[in-house]
Amino acid sequence: MDFLTILNNSAAEILSPSTAAFALATIGLNVHFGYSGLLNFGQAAFMAVGAYAFAIFTMQVDPTATLGWPMWLSFVVAVLVAIVAAVAFALVLGIPTLRLRGDYLAIVTIAAAEIIRFTVRTSDYSAVTGGSQGLRGQDYKGDITGLNPLTGTTYGFGPWTGTAYDTWIRILAWTLVVVALILVWLLMRSPWGRVIKGIREDEDAVRSLGKNVYSYKMQALVLGGVLGGLAGIMYVLPRAVQPDNFATAMTFYIWTALLLGGAATVFGPLLGSILFWVLLAFTGGMLSGLQQIGAFGDMSGTQAGQLRFVLVGVALMLLVIFRPQGILGNKKELSFHV
Amino acid sequence: MKTSSRPRRRGLRRAIAVAFAALGMVAGGVSAATAADLPSTEATDQFIFQGIIRDGADPLEGVEVTVSGNGVEETAATDDTGAWSIGVAEPGTYTVSLDPATLPDGITLRSAEFESREFTTASTSQIGVLFPLDSAGGGGGGGTGGDSGTGGNTGTGGEGGEPAAPGGGTGEPGSAAAGTTTNDFWSTVLARTISGLGFGLLMALGAIGITLIYGTTGVSNFAHGELLTFGGVVFYATTTLINWPVWVAVIVTLVASAAFGWMHDWGIFKPLRRRNVGLVQVLIVTIGLSIALRYLFQFLIGGGILGLSVPRGDVITLGPVIMTTADIVSMSVAIVVLVAVGLFLTRTRIGKATRAVSDNSSLAASSGIDVDKVIRIVWVLGALLTGGSGILYTYFIGANIKWDVGFTVLLLLFASVTLGGLGSAFGALVGAVIVGLVTELSTLFIAADLRYAVALLVLILVLLFRPQGILGRKERVG
Amino acid sequence: MSETTTDGTAPTATHPLVDGEVAPGCKKVDPIVVADGVIRQFGGLTAVDVEHVEIPRGAITALIGPNGAGKTTFFNLLTGFDRPNKGSWSFEGQSLAHVPSHKVARRGMVRTFQLTKSLGRLTVLQNMLLGARDQRGESFFAALVRPLWRAQEQSNTEKADSLLARFKLDTKREDYAASLSGGQRKLLEMARALMSDPTLVMLDEPMAGVNPALTQSLLDHVKGLKDDGMTVLFVEHDMHMVRHISDWVIVMAEGRIVAEGPPETIMQNQAVVDAYLGAHHDTDLGTLTNQQVAQIHEAAEEEVPVGLEASATETTTTDAPAEPGATAHDEEGKR
């Protein structure tokens, strides 16, 4: 068992662009659940909407080639298209459900997330969405690759070494995370954030004070959804677009990360995301290492790999029961209603 | 009959080994999976025609089966377990034919009409194709499955193996499999209606479990699908791995499911009630439980589709509709059980107490009902019903099981429950039948791989216009 | 509009607040709220059936009645937290039909709740600041730029501090509201309502669950509201309190307005004795058949599972916990 490799792989997760994308989605969910009390179980769908809108726009419209736009403009417009798509998705989800009791939003978001995944997966639209195969990375990464100011071969050190492209995406993704954190911090110390937190505590009370609760919930849903959409873009920039990456499981991992770090805290989602992926890589490495030295008898490597997802599930349960405020949460400011 | 646990364990291990080998499990990539590559389910073949060809209990090797249509023509020969499977990428109508010349001497197809038949992929992703045989020797008894005698038999699963998918999504399970003899539109409608009805009845069993638990405890149990998978897995283990007779396997599965439900309440949900844990917290606990159980199942039975060595019975032609006895048995059992549940809830004292707790648990408690006991019973009953639906479901969709089968129908179960009106058992039944019908009939108009999306869309539309559910009363929304 | 009934009271009583004769549904000299034909039914049971009622401006009006009389439901209807099956009602001459609750509040008609709704995971000060009207920082984009709202926030904080001092909550300023006692939460809720400078304050059982030691100061605060020029309408059970501070009393029973009058004379009204005191004895509940009780529970249950706003509040709160045999659901139970 190569302990150093395991540690190295785990440490690499700390700064990987995918962790950044995941953190961004978790920050979005934090706006939903942590601050506004919205039970969104479809955050993966916001990612899917963002990722597909970005990639499909780039591939189908391809302004760089067809309209002669500069690459930066084409990229920015593609990102804007993704944001608009995420906003539209949030409105579609929110308009029917935000007036209803909270668990209706839960059911509708999880159902809508699956509808999105089935739709992009179906063979009927595979000319656009790539069906179950998804979309190839090279088909939509042209602009962002062309915009890369880094010309060397490798950057970074230790576990955080990557190619010029990796490093470029890493910088972009983490910059976005920092911007999102500042945005959330600014909003949550403002009167707007106060209204949002008030709604989480008791809608009727806030309504009786003359605030349009529906509108605020919608704003929060849109904000968190847009962060999810941007997370989707960042998630697919280092790889291809795969419909099944945006399954319910992804949403559940985002929830786990949020509760791990601490809902309703600014840095909780960031800490939770990093820890989640580091621990997952670490337990994965350890289990497969132990399996290789025969610690589990004739268990196969795949089976050992399943065990860590069992651990994820158990960890989520224990966390919610015994430390619902997460690592960074204030004990007085528990993240759940009783 | 083997009843000790040692042979069972050995059997399970052996079966796992066989399953892995036979299915060509993709083992790589999982341990190395990181955020950078959440592994995903990726089957190139959307639809798989499959079957096992046996003469009585003896598998026939080297029988050639051809699937043709939509520009595809592919031939496969049965392996040493008699299993064959051919995958196709596109939905559509295919001709599946068996080359009688490759059958061993003295064995013939029971009827010439089985030699070449048309199948439409629309309603299922795995299509079991039966070739009923007559052996000249006579004693074989026909059918394709024969008795459950061969044992250790897996291998009907997806060609090339569906890779294990720890992080990834899930495809869809197959569903009811009533076919048609003709391609005429109304015959198809009829066949799909029957399929949908059957599918709906099966889901109703699970949906009633959800709604009873929701009604009495307020918990939306996201781990409910795993109760269904549990039933399927135990049934698979008892019938296929250790070859117990089906009736014994059914009893063992039901007892195990009931015990599993009892453990849920005893080990998790009662302590949570004692701690006064909020409902949202409990909901997330059930999500954690669902993840843990699901991967435990995958750990136990692997990531592929496993076939059950339970015969699907004879093919029955009713007018234009082709079904197997399995379909009819599944539906009948579901109806009987549903009636029994209805009588239980309305006629027995415990049933009435259950409804009282559902209506208002503090009121029920103050009138002397032991709420904890009722909830315990509801968990046991819910798990029993859902485990039972697990048996029927694995049987009904083509005698196979996958580790996440319950999770893939979970949303449809929730859709059923919400459609009928949360907390109402009868509503769950109606909702489930509607979801089943919508799912199957939608394939007449749209791609088959979108059929679950249609059911979920209906759910959202109903919530939009009738948030209280179809049977709920309007007054409920203030 | 309603036919005047004169049973009990002196036939030709008049009162400075009243335009004409004192009677149920009588006209007021200067009404701030006028309701006409407001009916709310829950699954066939009529919870509220108010033909006509006017609330006098600048006075403290008590809305009393036996448990289940429909007082809280009527409150919810007036403030937009529940919708009536039919009827019209207006505030300061403007119709409030189909006006959502937050807009009702913005017009200056602010309410509190029977079960206090202090926002537990916000501090006392944050609770207060939430009450302030027209905050620039409450719009999404302005929230990001602090200079746009800093000055307003500053003045709101000063106002909040002075209100907190008045309600003797200033020492709790930075505490989470969840840590306050029941009575302190009532005070906080009242103080928070005042942050918006309302013209009409509607208090739903301000005394329920309040420590007797705090009662007197609460009464003084309610009186203080009138001195500051506000109109007060409150729901209450406690006749002592009603007598002590109110200028006008409206009595509801079985969803209807059965009597009105000044507090000194209202308890002599035969209709009040029948309806109000009658229900305080067990006789009324005793006459319900089992079937009726079952019906009531059924109707109440319909409200609970999906109950969104007011209906949920309505059915899960107990009007008078001390009342024997009363369940949480008989609010709409009595007909």
Side-chain angles (χ1 to χ4, degrees):
Chain A
M1 179 163 67
D2 185 354
F3 201 69
L4 268 182
T5 312
I6 294 172
L7 280 183
N8 203 52
N9 286 344
S10 310
E13 291 297 328
I14 296 175
L15 286 181
S16 87
S18 301
T19 304
F22 193 80
L24 211 50
T26 313
I27 294 168
L29 183 66
N30 192 29
V31 172
H32 291 154
F33 175 70
Y35 290 112
S36 323
L38 300 174
L39 287 176
N40 170 18
F41 283 108
Q43 188 67 344
F46 281 103
M47 293 177 73
V49 166
Y52 272 94
F54 172 82
I56 291 173
F57 176 82
T58 309
M59 290 166 64
Q60 301 293 323
V61 181
D62 198 4
T64 319
T66 56
L67 301 170
W69 289 6
M71 283 189 284
W72 69 266
L73 184 62
S74 169
F75 178 74
V76 168
V77 170
V79 171
L80 288 178
V81 167
I83 290 176
V84 168
V87 170
F89 186 56
L91 293 177
V92 166
L93 288 183
I95 287 169
T97 52
L98 288 182
R99 286 185 205 280
L100 300 173
R101 217 176 41 178
D103 42 357
Y104 279 82
L105 182 69
I107 295 173
V108 167
T109 47
I110 199 169
E114 286 295 273
I115 291 176
I116 293 282
R117 188 171 67 90
F118 285 130
T119 309
V120 293
R121 223 177 169 279
T122 178
S123 47
D124 279 17
Y125 311 127
S126 55
V128 179
T129 61
S132 59
Q133 304 291 320
L135 300 166
R136 288 188 308 169
Q138 69 236 46
D139 293 338
Y140 58 83
K141 287 182 196 164
D143 293 331
I144 192 72
T145 312
L147 288 168
N148 187 359
L150 305 174
T151 49
T153 45
T154 59
Y155 290 85
F157 62 94
W160 305 291
T161 314
T163 64
Y165 180 78
D166 284 345
T167 312
W168 170 228
I169 301 300
R170 192 176 297 209
I171 291 167
L172 274 184
W174 284 104
T175 307
L176 209 52
V177 170
V178 171
V179 170
L181 287 176
I182 292 173
L183 183 76
V184 169
W185 177 72
L186 281 176
L187 282 171
M188 291 311 159
R189 64 162 195 175
S190 76
W192 188 86
R194 192 161 60 215
V195 178
I196 286 294
K197 287 186 262 185
I199 290 170
R200 174 189 69 193
E201 299 299 303
D202 193 316
E203 277 185 35
D204 280 348
V206 176
R207 200 173 275 127
S208 77
L209 297 172
K211 320 293 178 200
N212 187 345
V213 168
Y214 183 66
S215 159
Y216 280 101
K217 279 163 98 177
M218 189 66 88
Q219 291 171 33
L221 187 66
V222 168
L223 171 63
V226 167
L227 290 176
L230 291 172
I233 301 176
M234 291 301 140
Y235 191 74
V236 297
L237 281 181
R239 59 173 72 72
V241 180
Q242 269 293 338
D244 291 335
N245 277 341
F246 305 108
T248 320
M250 172 68 104
T251 301
F252 291 167
Y253 297 156
I254 294 171
W255 271 88
T256 310
L258 175 64
L259 296 171
L260 181 64
T265 61
V266 172
F267 291 105
L270 176 66
L271 179 68
S273 304
I274 292 176
L275 274 182
F276 181 82
W277 287 110
V278 168
L279 289 176
L280 202 61
F282 182 74
T283 49
M286 288 299 286
L287 285 169
S288 96
L290 288 172
Q291 183 267 332
Q292 278 161 23
I293 60 169
F296 299 134
D298 57 359
M299 185 196 288
S300 76
T302 316
Q303 280 179 297
Q306 314 312 342
L307 278 182
R308 72 190 167 139
F309 288 95
V310 177
L311 292 178
V312 169
V314 173
L316 179 58
M317 290 165 72
L318 296 178
L319 197 60
V320 173
I321 297 170
F322 296 107
R323 200 177 163 85
Q325 74 271 35
I327 293 171
L328 292 181
N330 180 341
K331 224 179 175 183
K332 280 187 191 157
E333 201 176 351
L334 289 179
S335 47
F336 292 93
H337 298 283
V338 176
Chain B
M1 197 186 301
K2 300 164 188 168
T3 48
S4 74
S5 65
R6 276 196 66 212
R8 179 175 171 173
R9 198 158 57 227
R10 202 166 55 220
L12 185 65
R13 247 187 228 169
R14 185 188 56 185
I16 289 168
V18 169
F20 276 62
L23 295 171
M25 285 292 309
V26 179
V30 174
S31 55
T34 63
D37 54 2
L38 263 185
S40 63
T41 307
E42 206 48 68
T44 32
D45 292 328
Q46 289 284 304
F47 303 96
I48 294 160
F49 293 96
Q50 61 190 21
I52 302 175
I53 298 177
R54 287 197 205 122
D55 173 32
D58 304 325
L60 301 178
E61 196 180 350
V63 181
E64 285 183 8
V65 179
T66 302
V67 171
S68 59
N70 293 355
V72 177
E73 175 149 351
E74 214 174 310
T75 303
T78 53
D79 61 16
D80 56 358
T81 62
W84 62 273
S85 84
I86 296 171
V88 294
E90 299 292 320
T93 301
Y94 293 86
T95 307
V96 182
S97 50
L98 181 145
D99 183 356
T102 58
L103 286 171
D105 287 341
I107 294 176
T108 55
L109 280 164
R110 187 177 303 160
S111 155
E113 72 178 270
F114 293 118
E115 191 178 315
S116 180
R117 277 173 297 160
E118 283 197 339
F119 286 85
T120 304
T121 55
S123 67
T124 53
S125 53
Q126 283 100 41
I127 301 115
V129 180
L130 304 171
F131 291 105
L133 303 177
D134 272 340
S135 61
T144 54
D147 299 315
S148 55
T150 50
N153 151 39
T154 52
T156 57
E159 178 185 77
E162 271 192 76
T170 50
E172 321 100 69
S175 60
T180 55
T181 49
T182 62
N183 275 331
D184 131 63
F185 180 76
W186 290 109
S187 312
T188 316
V189 170
L190 188 63
R192 295 283 156 76
T193 306
I194 290 172
S195 293
L197 202 60
F199 188 39
L201 289 171
L202 291 186
M203 283 197 299
L205 295 178
I208 286 175
I210 287 188
T211 209
L212 285 178
I213 290 167
Y214 177 86
T216 48
T217 65
V219 173
S220 305
N221 180 18
F222 272 78
H224 203 83
E226 277 56 53
L227 293 173
L228 191 148
T229 316
F230 181 82
V233 168
V234 175
F235 190 61
Y236 166 75
T238 44
T239 54
T240 308
L241 299 183
I242 48 180
N243 300 318
W244 287 352
V246 172
W247 66 270
V248 179
V250 167
I251 291 171
V252 169
T253 306
L254 292 179
V255 171
S257 295
F260 196 47
W262 188 86
M263 278 160 54
H264 268 70
D265 189 49
W266 173 80
I268 299 173
F269 293 97
K270 190 176 173 192
L272 291 181
R273 285 200 299 280
R274 288 265 177 282
R275 282 177 68 101
N276 258 330
V277 174
L279 284 181
V280 172
Q281 263 167 291
V282 177
L283 188 147
I284 297 170
V285 168
T286 66
I287 288 176
L289 181 64
S290 157
I291 297 174
L293 286 176
R294 214 162 349 125
Y295 286 101
L296 190 64
F297 292 138
Q298 195 186 4
F299 174 73
L300 291 174
I301 67 169
I305 300 166
L306 303 175
L308 259 63
S309 65
V310 178
R312 301 231 340 125
D314 295 333
V315 174
I316 293 167
T317 309
L318 291 171
V321 180
I322 301 176
M323 333 170 56
T324 60
T325 35
D327 301 332
I328 293 168
V329 168
S330 292
M331 281 196 230
S332 318
V333 170
I335 290 170
V336 169
V337 172
L338 288 169
V339 169
V341 170
L343 290 177
F344 170 79
L345 287 177
T346 50
R347 298 290 162 85
T348 66
R349 271 195 62 205
I350 298 173
K352 285 177 184 166
T354 305
R355 291 195 304 154
V357 174
S358 266
D359 279 351
N360 184 333
S361 67
S362 51
L363 195 66
S366 67
S367 53
I369 293 172
D370 182 349
V371 173
D372 258 350
K373 189 176 141 201
V374 169
I375 291 175
R376 181 69 51 89
I377 289 169
V378 162
W379 269 105
V380 169
L381 179 68
L384 182 72
L385 288 173
T386 313
S389 84
I391 300 179
L392 296 177
Y393 192 80
T394 48
Y395 188 43
F396 192 61
I397 62 169
N400 57 47
I401 174 142
K402 194 158 167 252
W403 59 286
D404 64 351
V405 59
F407 189 67
T408 51
V409 288
L410 177 71
L411 277 184
L412 295 186
L413 294 183
F414 270 114
S416 310
V417 169
T418 318
L419 273 182
L422 280 169
S424 141
F426 183 64
L429 168 63
V430 174
V433 170
I434 292 172
V435 169
L437 289 174
V438 166
T439 307
E440 289 300 317
L441 288 174
S442 71
T443 58
L444 292 167
F445 310 102
I446 57 151
D449 49 7
L450 274 179
R451 67 191 193 282
Y452 286 0
V454 172
L456 297 175
L457 191 64
V458 169
L459 166 70
I460 293 179
L461 291 177
V462 168
L463 282 182
L464 187 52
F465 296 108
R466 255 190 98 78
Q468 71 275 30
I470 290 171
L471 294 182
R473 273 180 257 174
K474 198 168 174 232
E475 275 299 325
R476 285 172 48 160
V477 177
Chain C
M1 64 159 276
S2 65
E3 207 179 311
T4 52
T5 50
T6 54
D7 52 327
T9 38
T12 54
T14 58
H15 190 274
L17 290 170
V18 177
D19 176 15
E21 207 175 284
V22 173
C26 60
K27 287 209 178 358
K28 305 298 182 308
V29 177
D30 183 11
I32 188 165
V33 171
V34 179
D36 264 313
V38 174
I39 294 178
R40 177 69 169 107
Q41 289 165 324
F42 293 106
L45 295 164
T46 305
V48 167
D49 181 3
V50 171
E51 275 183 47
H52 184 82
V53 73
E54 298 184 3
I55 313 291
R57 183 192 305 276
I60 300 179
T61 303
L63 182 60
I64 65 169
N67 188 21
K71 307 179 297 287
T72 296
T73 310
F74 188 50
F75 241 57
N76 289 338
L77 294 172
L78 288 181
T79 50
F81 278 84
D82 192 4
R83 252 162 288 169
N85 299 66
K86 57 182 167 192
S88 64
W89 65 109
S90 65
F91 173 65
E92 309 239 56
Q94 285 180 306
S95 169
L96 284 183
H98 305 295
V99 175
S101 48
H102 69 272
K103 287 192 178 157
V104 173
R106 282 183 200 169
R107 291 192 187 179
M109 185 169 164
V110 174
R111 69 169 295 180
T112 66
F113 294 87
Q114 187 181 342
L115 288 183
T116 47
K117 292 187 184 293
S118 56
L119 309 167
R121 283 186 288 157
L122 265 54
T123 64
V124 168
L125 181 64
Q126 285 175 322
N127 263 275
M128 292 296 289
L129 290 173
L130 202 51
R133 265 203 264 196
D134 301 321
Q135 296 189 47
R136 262 179 243 134
E138 286 183 356
S139 102
F140 183 86
F141 292 106
L144 294 170
V145 189
R146 197 174 193 174
L148 289 178
W149 46 265
R150 184 183 285 172
Q152 194 188 28
E153 184 85 347
Q154 192 63 44
S155 72
N156 282 340
T157 309
E158 280 161 22
K159 185 174 171 189
D161 280 332
S162 76
L163 275 169
L164 285 177
R166 177 172 151 193
F167 283 82
K168 301 205 168 48
L169 288 169
D170 41 349
T171 53
K172 304 279 181 185
R173 190 177 187 264
E174 297 301 330
D175 290 5
Y176 283 111
S179 69
L180 299 183
S181 73
Q184 287 170 328
R185 287 185 208 187
K186 287 272 182 196
L187 286 174
L188 173 59
E189 212 182 355
M190 205 184 292
R192 190 175 63 193
L194 298 185
M195 281 295 288
S196 65
D197 300 319
T199 33
L200 171 62
V201 182
M202 299 176 66
L203 307 171
D204 196 350
E205 301 210 16
M207 292 297 149
V210 174
N211 176 345
L214 266 174
T215 318
Q216 192 53 46
S217 89
L218 243 165
L219 289 179
D220 292 342
H221 286 309
V222 175
K223 276 202 223 166
L225 300 181
K226 188 177 104 175
D227 299 340
D228 291 350
M230 283 172 254
T231 305
V232 179
L233 174 65
F234 70 100
V235 168
E236 192 49 72
H237 274 327
D238 182 357
M239 280 310 295
H240 281 292
M241 170 175 180
V242 171
R243 242 195 301 265
H244 201 71
I245 62 168
S246 59
D247 302 310
W248 192 253
V249 179
I250 297 173
V251 186
M252 277 185 87
E254 295 168 352
R256 296 165 185 278
I257 308 289
V258 292
E260 275 191 54
E264 304 80 36
T265 56
I266 191 72
M267 292 316 287
Q268 282 119 51
N269 184 315
Q270 191 55 46
V272 178
V273 175
D274 283 352
Y276 185 68
L277 295 180
H280 261 288
H281 301 114
D282 280 352
T283 48
D284 197 70
L285 269 180
T287 58
L288 287 174
T289 64
N290 279 341
Q291 194 189 354
Q292 276 171 313
V293 172
Q295 231 180 344
I296 289 162
H297 290 319
E298 200 180 314
E301 266 321 303
E302 280 168 22
E303 299 302 317
V304 178
V306 196
L308 298 175
E309 304 167 351
S311 50
T313 328
E314 177 73 21
T315 46
T316 51
T317 53
T318 327
D319 259 1
E323 200 157 308
T327 72
H329 304 294
D330 56 6
E331 179 78 352
E332 55 277 342
K334 311 273 181 56
R335 273 173 300 142

